[in-house]
């Protein structure tokens, strides 16, 4: 009986370990920007995922009507941008991508206004504010297991993660969203480590 008990405990531990490996390593390594998606910048230019130059990228999903976590995360990213600019890597080696998950309501004008709120006036500043069709937005979000839905009142419920991508567009690390979960120093260190 003792051997059976030990065997079951061992099997249970192996299964938990395999599950942790799947969700933290294997599944994350499969997350990447889909090559066949073209989105539009807030300034009306096409942005082709299959034509991106090799750069480290920080990917954020948001919507402009979000009352708290989205604008707070974007604000934290402005602090991160300042640190990366001081290190002379922002725009050249590091780029930010912010994608709206509410393209129906987030018109190019609304997205431009949102971008300008955070000091981005054009698509050449190293921070892309993008919108796409409902289908393409879902395709990109699904590639990262980023879940969102509209309960009917325009206040979207969504996953609270941002994604650090390597030069090939693959996820190398995930970070939380909002002031309490998106730690500028932690993300900065992860980016600088990847650049070395």
């Amino acid at each position: 009986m003792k051997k059976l008990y030990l065997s079951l405990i061992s099997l249970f531990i192996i299964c938990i370990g395999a599950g942790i490996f799947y969700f933290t390593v294997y599944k994350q390594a499969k997350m990447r920007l889909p090559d066949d998606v073209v989105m539009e910048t807030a300034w009306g230019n096409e942005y082709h995922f299959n034509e991106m130059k090799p750069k480290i990228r920080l990917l954020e999903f948001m919507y402009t009507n979000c009352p708290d976590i989205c604008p707070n995360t974007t604000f934290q990213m402005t602090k991160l941008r300042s640190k990366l600019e001081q290190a002379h890597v922002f725009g050249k080696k590091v780029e930010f991508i912010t994608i709206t998950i509410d393209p129906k309501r987030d018109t190019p004008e609304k997205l431009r206004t949102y971008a300008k709120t955070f000091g981005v006036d054009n698509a050449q500043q190293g921070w892309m504010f993008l919108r796409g069709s409902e289908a393409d937005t879902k395709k990109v979000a699904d590639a990262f297991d980023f879940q969102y839905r509209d309960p009917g009142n325009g206040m979207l419920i969504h996953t609270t993660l941002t994604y650090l991508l390597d030069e090939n567009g693959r996820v190398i690390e995930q970070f939380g969203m909002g002031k309490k979960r998106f730690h500028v120093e932690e993300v900065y260190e992860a980016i600088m480590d990847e650049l070395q």
Side-chain angles (χ1 to χ4, degrees), residues 96-113:
F96 291 171
I97 298 177
T98 294
I99 298 175
T100 178
I101 53 174
D102 192 9
K104 202 174 0 178
R105 294 181 189 93
D106 287 343
T107 62
E109 294 77 22
K110 278 187 87 171
L111 203 53
R112 254 193 319 275
T113 300

Side-chain angles (χ1 to χ4, degrees), residues 105-170:
R105 294 181 189 93
D106 287 343
T107 62
E109 294 77 22
K110 278 187 87 171
L111 203 53
R112 254 193 319 275
T113 300
Y114 186 85
K116 287 180 181 181
T117 301
F118 298 100
V120 181
D121 297 315
N122 60 62
Q124 283 74 49
Q125 291 180 262
W127 193 338
M128 300 298 142
F129 286 80
L130 305 176
R131 63 185 300 278
S133 66
E134 295 274 350
D136 281 344
T137 302
K138 182 165 177 18
K139 185 173 189 174
V140 176
D142 285 350
F144 296 92
D145 289 328
F146 188 93
Q147 305 295 312
Y148 63 95
R149 68 180 178 83
D150 185 347
N153 60 4
M155 304 303 286
L156 277 62
I157 298 165
H158 60 83
T159 302
T160 54
L161 289 173
T162 57
Y163 306 87
L164 184 61
L165 313 178
D166 68 11
E167 291 184 344
N168 300 311
R170 294 183 193 278

Side-chain angles (χ1 to χ4, degrees), residues 44-62:
N45 306 316
E46 287 188 346
Y47 189 84
H48 298 255
F49 289 148
N50 67 350
E51 295 177 3
M52 296 186 310
K53 293 179 180 172
K55 291 183 183 181
I56 306 300
R57 290 182 168 84
L58 182 64
L59 173 63
E60 168 199 32
F61 292 99
M62 50 61 74

Side-chain angles (χ1 to χ4, degrees), residues 8 22 66 72 76 90 108 122 148 150 157 160 181 193-194:
L8 288 174
Y22 175 77
C66 182
N72 190 285
Q76 298 305 316
F90 189 77
N122 60 62
Y148 63 95
D150 185 347
I157 298 165
T160 54
R181 296 189 62 224
D193 286 348
E194 185 63 22

